[in-house]
Amino acid sequence: MRTPDLDQLDIAILACLQADARTIAETIGAKVGLSAAAVQRRIKRLREAGVIEREVAVLSPEALGLSMTFVVTVEMERENLAVLDGFRRQVLAEDAVQQCYYVTGAADFVLIVTCPDMAGFEAFTRRMFFDNPNVRHFTTSVAMDRVKVGLGLPLDQ
């Protein structure tokens, strides 16, 4: 997909939406100096171009009883496309996995996993790693504090 040319107004609109996707076009327009209709047209174009992938609600893990976060590095037994694609499919189907990155270095994947407690994480590891003959090794770090969590992108580049 080709990246569309973004001007400063597009960037300002995206910044408003990253802060709060529920911000109405009139409010955004007042901040960036455009009419609500012009803001709506730009947002529509940004969606169609794939710049805005989706708009979601950010939920509190603690409020939902998901108080533990784990960073897990995973090393696969062998690195071939079928093994990697199979693990990707497994990760995509697992709600406890919040983020997954295919990486270079000693590990093949880095996962960010959220569970209610250690028992929940143990059940997760059994499903994802111990029951998977293609997982050679995994290492877990328990997050002590959520210092920064988000998917906001730097727009001032």
Side-chain angles (χ1 to χ4, degrees):
M1 173 181 357
R2 186 178 90 67
T3 304
D5 293 327
L6 303 178
D7 63 20
Q8 286 307 115
L9 291 170
D10 291 327
I11 299 297
I13 290 167
L14 291 170
C16 289
L17 292 175
Q18 271 196 145
D20 184 355
R22 296 182 315 162
T23 306
I24 60 173
E26 288 80 9
T27 303
I28 295 171
K31 287 182 181 179
V32 303
L34 290 173
S35 70
V39 169
Q40 289 169 335
R41 281 192 301 275
R42 284 175 178 259
I43 291 172
K44 180 179 185 220
R45 180 179 53 81
L46 292 166
R47 285 181 182 131
E48 289 171 351
V51 174
I52 299 173
E53 289 184 356
R54 59 192 171 118
E55 296 159 64
V56 300
V58 178
L59 308 178
S60 166
E62 292 82 12
L64 296 169
L66 300 167
S67 59
M68 297 197 74
T69 301
F70 305 88
V71 180
V72 185
T73 59
V74 182
E75 185 180 343
M76 304 308 290
E77 191 60 50
R78 51 197 165 279
E79 194 167 321
N80 67 50
L81 288 179
V83 168
L84 297 175
D85 288 344
F87 189 73
R88 283 183 177 105
R89 282 191 300 278
Q90 187 180 8
V91 163
L92 289 169
E94 179 60 54
D95 288 340
V97 177
Q98 301 303 292
Q99 296 178 51
C100 173
Y101 301 94
Y102 177 49
V103 297
T104 62
D108 296 304
F109 292 93
V110 175
L111 309 178
I112 307 300
V113 179
T114 303
C115 293
D117 51 30
M118 287 304 289
F121 184 68
E122 181 184 7
F124 168 83
T125 61
R126 288 177 186 271
R127 285 190 311 274
M128 291 294 292
F129 309 132
F130 291 116
D131 291 345
N132 185 337
N134 292 315
V135 173
R136 178 183 304 153
H137 178 75
F138 70 95
T139 304
T140 302
S141 296
V142 179
M144 303 289 286
D145 185 21
R146 296 178 70 202
V147 177
K148 181 178 180 179
V149 178
L151 294 174
L153 298 174
L155 296 173
D156 56 354
Q157 304 299 316

